Amino acid sequence: QVQLVESGGGLVQAGGSLRLSCAASGLTFNSYPMGWFRQAPGKEREFVATINWNGGSTTYADSVKGRFTVSRDNAKNTVYLQMNSLKPGDTAVYYCAAGSYSRHQALYNYWGQGTQVTVSS
């Protein structure tokens, strides 16, 4: 049974930083590209970042480029999202997903339950 468990969310002031983690189990982690998505209240879920199987390639949404960094540790079966210079507009539930190196949600096979990130002004 595949499980993706996000952690690290919370409340932070604008300009601050958070690091999200996503621990995977039940799959051959180093074979899976991973992605991060987010959903703000009243909005559709949107792409944030993706990383290929070995961390050698990454892609970001324009809205987070230069502020967020996605990385992975295959020895720990964990993918990370380092978020710096946070803005109130980054407030959302953040989800990790496994299965594709893509901006498109439909191409991912597995999803976590999400972690809330709230950025106060």
Side-chain angles (χ1 to χ4, degrees):
Q1 176 182 352
V2 175
Q3 283 195 315
L4 302 176
V5 180
E6 301 96 335
S7 61
L11 174 64
V12 64
Q13 289 189 332
S17 297
L18 283 174
R19 188 177 82 154
L20 305 184
S21 300
C22 172
S25 60
L27 75 171
T28 306
F29 182 74
N30 60 13
S31 296
Y32 279 80
M34 300 292 293
W36 285 97
F37 293 79
R38 68 186 182 185
Q39 187 167 21
K43 296 188 177 181
E44 293 187 353
R45 190 161 57 185
E46 64 176 6
F47 168 75
V48 174
T50 185
I51 186 167
N52 76 332
W53 69 276
N54 67 355
S57 295
T58 57
T59 299
Y60 298 91
D62 288 345
S63 59
V64 306
K65 201 173 296 183
R67 300 188 298 122
F68 290 11
T69 302
V70 59
S71 62
R72 64 191 296 159
D73 185 339
N74 285 348
K76 295 182 178 180
N77 286 4
T78 301
V79 63
Y80 304 98
L81 186 67
Q82 176 68 44
M83 305 186 295
N84 299 329
S85 303
L86 282 161
K87 306 174 182 180
D90 295 317
T91 295
V93 177
Y94 283 72
Y95 299 90
C96 72
S100 183
Y101 181 72
S102 172
R103 298 173 179 265
H104 302 292
Q105 302 178 47
L107 298 180
Y108 288 80
N109 304 107
Y110 306 106
W111 291 83
Q113 82 290 349
T115 186
Q116 176 71 47
V117 171
T118 303
V119 184
S120 64
S121 56

